Amino acid sequence: MTENDRNASAGSRTKLIERKQEWAREGRLLTGTTADKRRQRLPPGQHLVKNWPVLDLGQQPAVDARDWSLTVGGQVARKLAWSWQDLQAQPVHRSTSDIHCVTAWSRYDNAWQGVSAKHLLGLVQPTPAARYVILRSYDGYATNVPLSDFDDDDVLLATHWERQPLTREHGGPVRVVIPKLYFWKSAKWVRHIWFTDKDAPGFWEARGYHNHGDPWTEERYG
Ligand SMILES: Nc1nc2c(c(=O)[nH]1)N[C@H]1C(S)=C(S)[C@@H](COP(=O)(O)O)O[C@H]1N2
Ligand SMILES: [Mo]
């Protein structure tokens, strides 16, 4: 049993996870259309919300900033281990982007602040062999993204949303934000970032969600 499976087996969460796996099997919410993201801001099958829903495995780890740490390793020239203080010493990056959740809600214009993925990549320098990034979190969650998607101007380790510290329910003290993929790829309470030549499905990817998750081509289920 992996760490993820152990976390997922807790009773109250099992039903929710099973329902989502059921949706994946049925292809629920698929419209069968694709959209050109240069012309259409709202991806197919999505509707806009003004609030910001909370979605997770039902367990929101309490990670005090003083206890938080991030390790970055795998196929990199320089490994890295950051405390909260180390994170504060990095250049501040701001980016405003849209959220697209696979459960069909989208939320426009989220003002994020944190440390940019570009800055992190410049420090650790992934080797030429590194093609995937595995994100691991304090609740045992994991998700995988191609390095080419992680390596973009709008990707960041977010500490603030709308100028306020990120709340615990939304992944504070630090979450990853990858706007151009469905929001399940944006790991809350991030703890480890691993660069690798071998792709490995994360929590939802192993349970019927698409391995990549592009909202404009409706890569909801795999
Ligand atoms: N660590 C962790 N990150 C996670 C999740 C999770 O369960 N644990 N859920 C994912 C899913 S399915 C979604 S839709 C978004 C929801 O983020 P929000 O609660 O801030 O809206 O977080 C993603 N990141
Ligand atoms: Mo989700």
Side-chain angles (χ1 to χ4, degrees), residues 20 55 101-103 184 209:
K20 285 194 170 176
L55 286 102
C101 176
V102 73
T103 59
W184 88 77
Y209 280 25

Side-chain angles (χ1 to χ4, degrees), residues 52-57 137 139 141 170 175 183 186 188-189:
W52 184 10
V54 173
L55 286 102
D56 47 54
L57 305 178
S137 301
D139 59 344
Y141 187 80
H170 286 300
R175 80 176 297 160
F183 210 34
S186 291
K188 308 203 275 191
W189 312 292

Side-chain angles (χ1 to χ4, degrees), residues 102 141 143 182-186 204-205 209-210 213 219-220:
V102 73
Y141 187 80
T143 188
Y182 283 122
F183 210 34
W184 88 77
K185 297 287 188 179
S186 291
W204 287 120
E205 293 83 3
Y209 280 25
H210 198 282
E219 291 176 339
R220 295 180 192 275

